[in-house]
């Protein structure tokens, strides 16, 4: 098994999340985190440059929120087109998904063709799948299938979302999780859910993948595990989605954005969850950016995603030469994560005893550099 580490990857691909560009002055999130609206397009440009320099990426996937909700509404269309054009400078296919900030700017019927998202029916659903190689399938979920944003006000999915919020969130401001406890904090307006029809579709796709002996990577803007993200930044029905995923033994990794700070977790079924740091929150004038590349092997999923915020989960080596101490840390991190992946019971046990200790250990080893998963 370990000998296969030296083999060529089946394929590699690029990732980036939450660019959230807007031609407005810098600001802060509601939690006070600085946001660099104009700089985020420069982060994307650096990402595209690095992906093209790699020369052998099969595709790039954008994890959603291409334009920020504070973008002036008379600029929403032009800003979205501007960012899509930047992505199109990548020398290969680019796959997009919608996030809440996308929907703050444009309705689904405009977004889907702009982002080249295939329409499944006349209802502007934004979930789909593709196979980059015969051995793998990538599933892109629509985390705002049931949502209070993006659909017409009288649409059944809008009404279903408003009913959920009314039942689960007593606050007048439905974007506020105040007073909600633990994972109940997810019932806020900026999150959403996966509808019954999409759940049935997901079940069918995973069943097909099982028959074809394929491994699956599931991508969605909104995180699917409370272990990998804030409790207030989760898919409304993440439990239902994971129930379908856990029904089969084919999903190896779940990737997401939305939470901005980044996170990692291995669930009780051995599925790796990774939420990506936001490109929006990379400060101007630095040489390290939030974007990444993933190398997929038969039994190994090698993740290189680096961020400008060393206190969080990772940092980018594409444009920044590593110092000696960082190389040493890289070796330590690789050993730590290889051990965790080879013996997943260790991580499950530590997380069961002390989730805080598991989180600290992960952040300690992964802050400067990398994450290697052995599936």
């Amino acid at each position: 098994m370990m000998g296969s580490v030296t083999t060529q990857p089946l394929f590699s691909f690029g990732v980036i999340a939450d660019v959230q560009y807007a031609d407005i002055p810098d600001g802060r999130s509601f939690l006070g985190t600085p946001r660099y609206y104009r700089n985020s397009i420069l982060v994307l440009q650096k990402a595209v440059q690095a992906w093209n320099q790699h020369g052998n990426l099969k595709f790039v996937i954008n994890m959603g929120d291409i334009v920020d909700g504070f973008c002036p509404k008379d600029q929403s269309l032009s800003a979205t087109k501007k960012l899509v054009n930047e992505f199109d400078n990548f020398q290969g296919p680019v796959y997009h998904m919608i996030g809440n900030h996308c929907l703050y700017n444009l309705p689904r019927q405009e977004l889907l063709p702009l982002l080249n998202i295939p329409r499944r029916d006349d209802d502007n659903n934004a979930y789909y799948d593709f196979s980059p190689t015969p051995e793998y399938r990538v599933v892109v979920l629509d985390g705002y299938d049931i949502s209070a944003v993006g659909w017409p006000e009288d649409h059944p999915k809008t009404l279903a979302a408003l009913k959920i919020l009314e039942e689960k969130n007593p606050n007048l401001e439905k974007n506020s999780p105040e007073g909600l406890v633990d994972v109940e904090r997810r019932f806020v307006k900026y999150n959403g859910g996966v509808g019954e029809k999409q759940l049935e579709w997901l079940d069918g796709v995973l069943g097909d993948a099982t028959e074809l002996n394929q491994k699956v990577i599931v991508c969605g803007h909104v995180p699917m595990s409370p272990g990998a993200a804030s409790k207030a930044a989760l898919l409304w029905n993440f439990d239902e989605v994971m129930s379908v995923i856990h029904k089969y033994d084919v999903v190896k990794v779940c990737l997401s954005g939305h939470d901005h700070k980044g996170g990692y977790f291995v669930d009780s079924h051995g599925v790796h969850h990774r939420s990506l740091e936001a490109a929006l929150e990379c400060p101007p004038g630095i040489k390290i950016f939030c974007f990444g590349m993933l190398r997929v092997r038969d039994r190994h999923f090698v993740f290189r995603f680096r961020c400008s915020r060393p206190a969080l989960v990772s940092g980018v080596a594409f444009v920044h030469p590593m110092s000696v101490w960082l190389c040493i840390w890289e070796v330590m991190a690789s050993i730590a994560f290889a051990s965790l992946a080879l013996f997943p019971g260790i991580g499950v046990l530590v997380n069961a005893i002390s989730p805080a200790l598991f989180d600290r250990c992960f952040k300690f080893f992964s802050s400067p550099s990398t994450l290697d998963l052995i599936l």
Side-chain angles (χ1 to χ4, degrees):
M1 180 175 176
M2 292 304 294
S4 65
V5 174
T6 59
T7 61
Q8 289 297 312
L10 297 173
F11 63 96
S12 301
F13 64 98
V15 288
I16 194 167
D18 298 279
V19 177
Q20 290 182 224
Y21 169 77
D23 188 13
I24 58 175
D26 295 341
R28 291 182 179 271
S29 71
F30 63 91
L31 295 175
T33 305
R35 292 183 165 181
Y36 307 99
Y37 297 107
R38 292 185 175 120
N39 186 65
S40 67
I41 193 171
L42 303 180
V43 177
L44 174 58
Q45 289 168 352
K46 288 290 185 182
V48 172
Q49 180 184 22
W51 295 330
N52 285 333
Q53 286 175 351
H54 180 279
N56 198 31
L57 296 185
K58 196 80 171 178
F59 61 91
V60 160
I61 193 156
N62 164 35
M63 301 300 297
D65 280 359
I66 194 170
V67 174
D68 194 83
F70 283 129
C71 178
K73 295 303 169 278
D74 62 344
Q75 298 177 24
S76 291
L77 181 59
S78 61
T80 302
K81 288 181 176 179
K82 183 176 183 177
L83 270 289
V84 169
N85 288 338
E86 293 293 343
F87 273 105
D88 286 346
N89 287 326
F90 171 65
Q91 296 164 1
V94 177
Y95 296 95
H96 295 276
M97 66 192 73
I98 56 174
N100 52 310
H101 284 266
C102 302
L103 297 170
Y104 298 154
N105 279 277
L106 294 169
R108 284 172 173 263
Q109 62 266 29
E110 291 186 54
L111 272 173
L112 268 60
L114 276 175
L115 301 179
N116 199 29
I117 295 175
R119 291 178 58 176
R120 304 195 61 80
D121 49 39
D122 293 333
D123 209 11
N124 293 305
N125 290 310
Y127 53 91
Y128 60 98
D129 69 298
F130 61 96
S131 292
T133 68
E135 300 89 349
Y136 262 86
R137 189 178 301 208
V138 179
V139 169
V140 177
L141 296 180
D142 181 352
Y144 293 91
D145 185 8
I146 305 298
S147 172
V149 295
W151 300 104
E153 290 184 4
D154 59 349
H155 194 282
K157 293 186 177 183
T158 304
L159 299 178
L162 293 175
K163 182 180 179 182
I164 290 171
L165 291 172
E166 191 63 33
E167 292 175 351
K168 300 290 187 179
N169 188 334
N171 297 308
L172 288 177
E173 173 48 69
K174 298 303 181 183
N175 272 319
S176 172
E178 185 177 354
L180 301 178
V181 178
D182 200 51
V183 294
E184 295 300 301
R185 292 174 62 82
R186 72 190 188 275
F187 291 109
V188 285
K189 192 175 180 180
Y190 57 76
N191 295 329
V194 169
E196 188 64 35
K197 185 177 178 181
Q198 187 177 174
L199 286 172
E200 292 174 0
W201 168 83
L202 176 63
D203 188 272
V205 169
L206 298 185
D208 288 344
T210 301
E211 291 291 324
L212 295 171
N213 198 28
Q214 292 178 317
K215 295 182 176 71
V216 178
I217 300 167
V218 174
C219 301
H221 180 68
V222 190
M224 290 159 266
S225 170
S230 162
K231 304 294 193 299
L234 291 171
L235 201 64
W236 285 347
N237 59 335
F238 74 88
D239 48 349
E240 291 183 306
V241 172
M242 292 312 302
S243 179
V244 174
I245 287 174
H246 290 157
K247 180 179 172 182
Y248 302 92
D249 190 31
V250 293
V251 176
K252 304 304 175 183
V253 180
C254 292
L255 300 176
S256 61
H258 191 52
D259 193 36
H260 287 212
K261 69 180 186 297
Y264 170 72
F265 182 71
V266 184
D267 68 28
S268 60
H269 287 69
V271 178
H272 297 264
H273 296 259
R274 180 67 165 90
S275 64
L276 309 184
E277 293 82 356
L280 170 67
E281 294 173 7
C282 290
I286 63 168
K287 294 183 179 180
I288 301 178
F289 304 91
C290 286
F291 58 86
M293 293 185 288
L294 295 88
R295 296 201 305 271
V296 179
R297 304 179 189 275
D298 183 35
R299 296 178 180 174
H300 302 264
F301 194 97
V302 184
F303 195 98
R304 296 284 188 268
F305 187 96
R306 310 227 165 99
C307 182
S308 59
R309 297 176 295 167
L312 297 177
V313 216
S314 309
V316 169
F318 312 124
V319 294
H320 185 64
M322 287 188 176
S323 61
V324 173
W325 74 268
L326 192 55
C327 289
I328 294 171
W329 199 308
E330 179 98 2
V331 172
M332 292 172 62
S334 296
I335 293 172
F337 283 117
S339 300
L340 179 63
L342 283 170
F343 306 100
I346 296 174
V348 173
L349 179 62
V350 172
N351 190 61
I353 296 171
S354 175
L357 176 61
F358 181 89
D359 187 60
R360 285 189 179 205
C361 289
F362 170 71
K363 288 180 179 177
F364 174 81
F365 280 111
S366 63
S367 289
S369 53
T370 187
L371 176 59
D372 297 353
L373 311 178
I374 300 179
L375 306 177

